[in-house]
Every structure is written in C-alpha cells, then in structure tokens.
Amino acid sequence: MSRSTSDSDIHVGSGGSTGNGGAGPLGRGSRGAAGRLNRLVPVLAASTVLVCVLGYLQKLPCRSAGFDFLKTVTRACYTDVYPLYFNRGLADGKIPYFDKIQEPVEYPVLTGWFMHLVNVVVRAVVGPGGTARGMAFYDLTALILGALAVLAVLATAYAAGGRGGMTAGLMVALSPGLLLAAYINWDLLAVALCALALAAWTRRRPVLAGALLGLAIAAKFYPVVLLWPFVLLCLRADRRRELVRLLAGTAGAWLVVDLPVMLLAPEGWLRFYSFSKERGVDWGSVFFFLMDHGLPAARDVGRLNVMGQGGFAVLCLAIGVLALAAPRRPRLPQLLFLVLAAFMLTNKVWSPQYVLWLLPVLALARPRLPAYLVWQAGEIVYFLSIWWYLLGVTRQVDGADLGTTLSSLAHLHVPAEGISAQVYYIGLFSRFLTVLLLAALIVRDILRPEHDVVRRDGADDPAGGVLDGASDRLTLSALRRRVREPVGPGAACGASLRPARPAGRP
C-alpha cells in the first residue's frame, strides 16, 4: 500500500534528488515558491497577451479578405474557426451532435459544446445577415483562446516551480508556435486543461488533476496518451493509490461530459471516432511522404491505421522500458513529452497547430534554449510550407522548386504559384526531425541525469507531485535481482522490491 502523502511525509529516497533526505517541496518552501510565482504573473500574463495579440494581427489580413481560402494560404493566415462556423451548421443555429447536419462536428464533445456556447452568445448579440456573425464567432473564439493561452502559461510556470517558473512560462508565452497557431483551431482548450491538470498534480491533488485531464480528453482526446507516463512512474515509485485517484478523476470527468451525448445522441457522439478511424493520410504526417516514396500501402486506410497505431504502441513499450530501466526515475514531464512526440511521429495526421500540444511539456521537460529554438525554426518552416504547398494544390500547378522559392523569399515575396511537393517535404522533415531531435536529447537526459538542467541544482521532479522525492519500488534491475535470488526458508519475500529507505530515517 502507498504511504500517506501529507506534507511531512515526503522524503527523498533513491529516486530523489540527492538521496540525503529532507522534507518535500510543500510547507514553507512551497509558500515561498508560490510567492515568487505570484510576482511572475504580471510578466507572464502580459507576454502571453502580447503574443496572442500579434497572433490575431497575423490573421488580420485573412479576416479582412473574408477568410477567402486562396488568400489565407497565400498569406499563411488560415483558420478553421471561421469556415467551420458555416460548414458545421452553427450559422443555421444547429446544435452539435443532436441536430441533423450535412457535415456534422467532428470534434470531441467538449469542443463541440465550446463552439455551441460561443455561437449562442454571438447569435444573442449580433443580428442575422451577411458574414457578421461568422466574424463575431471568430473574434470571440480568439478572445477566449487567448485567455486559455494565459492560463496554460501560468499553469506551466506553476508546475515548473519558483526557480524555473519564469523560464518555462516564457518558453510557452513567447513561442513563435503560439503566435502562428493559436487561432488555427480549438486546441488551446485542451492544452490549457492539460497544463492545469499538471499544475494540480504538482500540488499533490490527483483527483483534481484527473478531472482536468478528463476534461482535456473530452475536448481533444489526444491527452489520453498522457496517462501512460503517470502509470509508469507511479508504479516505479509505488504511488498506486494516487494513480487510482487520478484515473478515477479522469474517467469521472470524461463521463460527465460525454455520457449524456453518448446516450441521447449516439450517432453524433460517434462522429469523432468514426471520422478518426476512416480518415486517410493527411498533410504533415510522415506517411504522406512515404505514400509516394515506396509505401503505397499508406493509401489504404485500414493498413495505414495498423502501421500508425502499431508504431505508436512499439514506441510506448520502449518508453515503458526506459521509465523502468533508467538509472534514476525519469521526471514526469520528460515522459509526457516523449509519449506526445511518439504519438505525433507515428500519426497519420499532424496539423500545424499540434505545436501547441508540445509547448508546455517541453518547457518543463527540457528548459534549454538551443534545441528549443531549432525546433521552433522547424515549426516555422513547416507552417509556411504547408500553406504555400496548398496554394499550389489549389491553383492545380506544380509549384516553385527550391531555387525559385528561396529567390522569392530573398525578395520578401510569396512564391506566386506556391511550392512543389519536393520543397514541401523539406518543410515536413524540418519539423519531423527537430521533434525527433528533442526526443533524443530528452532520452539522453534520462539515461545520463547529469545532463538534466532541472536536476543540476539538486531538485528531483518539481512537476512530479507525489513522485517528487519518492523512493524507487519497481525497476527492471530490481526485478532481475529478484529472479536471480534463491528462494529458501530464510528468504525475505519481495526484499529486492522493498523501497529504498530515505536517508536520515531510522
């Protein structure tokens, strides 16, 4: 059974920072850290608001053009928010999931309700006719998403702790990815809920963390993969009670949102799942490249699903082995990043706004600028590549080659006919390889903890909550020792799996 996790009960053991015992991060130190974080709030909030305003201005040329598709891809300021207002029945006052819509909402329930509630406000304030309601829907959605970005930044800073809060918060707040992708879709709803869930876990409130994670899954579903690192690390640290409470909170919150729609409008509720299953390979995925370069099987949706899901399962197993075999227990954000990266690298869809998913966990997993800036550069290259490739597709032309593209950029011009598939693939792999680089560096930090910048000052896992400073209970090396130990009358059952005794304890 897990021990109590009261303030006085958290001690550093073999999984901790130095193995020299001492109280956990709650108490006077926690109050001091909270005070430092409170002083960071104005800076972080103002920085996020500034970047979100710049993001809105980046989309303004497209708003002024009525979000005409050809102009949005030319100017790289596309958003789903405005066109889906008309294409998903919202302009006609339809209720997602319940009303018959020619093209029903293909998002999980909480995102659909978010869209509906914004529409209710818009229809109450803005009169019918023309595109006024559509523009108001976009503007109000952008305003709320900006507020959610502020919450995500503050929650990330809180999870990082007092010393690393400013760095982690600014890595999210000032990210070019946030500026460019904030208003493409509704992803910031799930991103903010995930960041708040991690902040609640940091505060050692597993039920609340689970509830927030359940809401995030109800909004976008990708956060379900984040449960795997919690399972691995809670097993290694023997925090099963907290894990059960986290999972219960997750399931409970998800059911509260989804169950009514599941029972009353099953066809509408199933739309997201059937759409995800039947969807073919899409832009951004490595399978989009492989489909035309030696892997024609990617054109078959059934085989594509097997390849993508199988690849992700293999990577999850590898992450599991890493979590239990590492010489020191990995930090929670490190595994969160790895499982998200594995999900993206093997997915049949990798939209430009998915950069938002990685921002908070990377800021906590590896708060170092060089590789972060390389990754952001890769995201910018891909962001421009996808829109200009779609420009060529829309015009039904081959698009510019690399030399012509670089010449246009040198003269600060958009390639008039878009870019070719070969140039687009450069952008695709710019993102793919930079995310892979970050994953490799984090694996290196796990296997060689002396490279982990977060642990250099003696910290263990500031965002780990009950895992921070916890003793190891289950590792692969302990299992191997147990298998090799002779079993006799005097053998102590489970001795090799007994948690390390914290230093300073009798």
Side-chain angles (χ1 to χ4, degrees), residues 11-19 328-329 455 458-460 467-472:
H11 291 266
V12 176
S14 64
S17 58
T18 61
R328 182 172 175 181
R329 176 176 33 78
R455 283 176 162 166
D460 178 35
L467 300 169
D468 187 24
S471 302
D472 277 343

Side-chain angles (χ1 to χ4, degrees), residues 381-419:
V381 170
Y382 180 75
F383 182 85
L384 297 175
S385 298
I386 179 58
W387 306 127
W388 292 344
Y389 174 65
L390 291 178
L391 173 59
V393 171
T394 304
R395 290 186 179 276
Q396 297 183 335
V397 296
D398 291 337
D401 59 18
L402 181 59
T404 305
T405 301
L406 294 177
S407 177
S408 297
L409 293 176
H411 291 87
L412 302 180
H413 295 311
V414 175
E417 301 298 323
I419 61 175

Side-chain angles (χ1 to χ4, degrees), residues 345 428-438:
L345 294 170
L428 187 153
F429 280 103
S430 295
R431 180 176 64 170
F432 185 93
L433 293 176
T434 52
V435 170
L436 190 61
L437 170 66
L438 290 174

Side-chain angles (χ1 to χ4, degrees), residues 177-198:
L178 177 62
L179 189 154
L180 296 173
Y183 308 128
I184 294 178
N185 201 277
W186 290 267
D187 293 66
L188 274 173
L189 174 60
V191 170
L193 288 168
C194 285
L196 290 169
L198 192 52

